[in-house]
Amino acid sequence: MTTAVRRPQNGHSLPPSGCTCGSLRKASRRISQFYDLALAPVGLKSTQFSILSEVERGSVAGAVTMCELAAAMVMDRSTLGHNLRPLERDELLLLRPGQHDRRKRYVELTRKGRAVLQKARRLWRRAEGRFEKIFGRRHAAELRAVLLNIANNQQLNSPAALQRA
């Protein structure tokens, strides 16, 4: 059985209907592959680059806690911890307990981490430019806006959101 496919004006095929989650996951895998390839010369994956960037951004006002970093990354602490291990092992990040509350853990960039992040940022900018060249600057900006809106939408965390559908 063949699924009917519409052909929009840009020539790309669109299925008659689709699953938002499945489409986002496919796109996420494709874009991760694209950025992972771009970052390969410095030995980072796109998730690692995002973590290092977020630690740098968050640490402008001081060291960032694991909880703050997990929230900023839209990750649970367990997943974040799993992703931090190789960065700590490679001495790009330092994890240290809080002085007053030993249960709190702080995440800091090391000198090596800052150097790798600086090199990676150049590669990332090149990849961003390539992505914008392929999809168009305006479309890329619109896509980022929609994706950030989704990532920041707290209604999607609510069980009540599923009941209202």
Side-chain angles (χ1 to χ4, degrees):
M1 182 172 169
T2 310
T3 304
V5 176
R6 289 185 327 214
R7 297 250 181 230
Q9 291 179 347
N10 66 5
H12 295 120
S13 300
L14 289 178
S17 66
C19 164
T20 302
C21 182
S23 297
L24 278 170
R25 291 178 69 87
K26 286 178 186 178
S28 177
R29 285 190 294 274
R30 176 68 70 214
I31 203 74
S32 291
Q33 293 166 355
F34 177 77
Y35 283 95
D36 287 351
L37 185 62
L39 293 169
V42 292
L44 291 178
K45 299 283 188 191
S46 56
T47 301
Q48 294 170 319
F49 175 82
S50 296
I51 289 170
L52 294 174
S53 295
E54 198 61 52
V55 169
E56 182 184 57
R57 219 179 347 269
S59 66
V60 170
V64 63
T65 67
M66 289 267 301
C67 287
E68 292 166 338
L69 183 57
M73 295 294 300
V74 191
M75 280 183 186
D76 61 73
R77 285 178 45 200
S78 174
T79 302
L80 177 63
H82 176 76
N83 282 289
L84 292 178
R85 279 187 211 108
L87 296 170
E88 184 181 26
R89 179 199 65 219
D90 296 342
E91 300 178 345
L92 303 178
L93 287 178
L94 175 66
L95 296 170
R96 64 173 178 79
Q99 286 181 313
H100 303 295
D101 185 350
R102 307 289 288 168
R103 294 171 297 176
K104 252 187 192 176
R105 295 183 67 197
Y106 289 90
V107 185
E108 299 175 10
L109 282 176
T110 62
R111 182 175 287 142
K112 180 180 176 184
R114 288 185 193 286
V116 169
L117 182 57
Q118 185 177 8
K119 290 176 188 172
R121 195 164 275 130
R122 284 192 289 270
L123 298 171
W124 190 268
R125 280 195 284 269
R126 195 175 307 146
E128 284 281 300
R130 178 78 178 125
F131 183 83
E132 287 183 352
K133 187 174 183 180
I134 293 168
F135 289 97
R137 179 172 269 158
R138 191 181 99 243
H139 290 303
E142 289 170 353
L143 176 62
R144 284 189 299 272
V146 168
L147 294 173
L148 284 171
N149 189 22
I150 292 169
N152 294 322
N153 189 321
Q154 295 303 310
Q155 292 178 16
L156 296 174
N157 284 348
S158 165
L162 295 174
Q163 294 170 356
R164 287 187 218 126

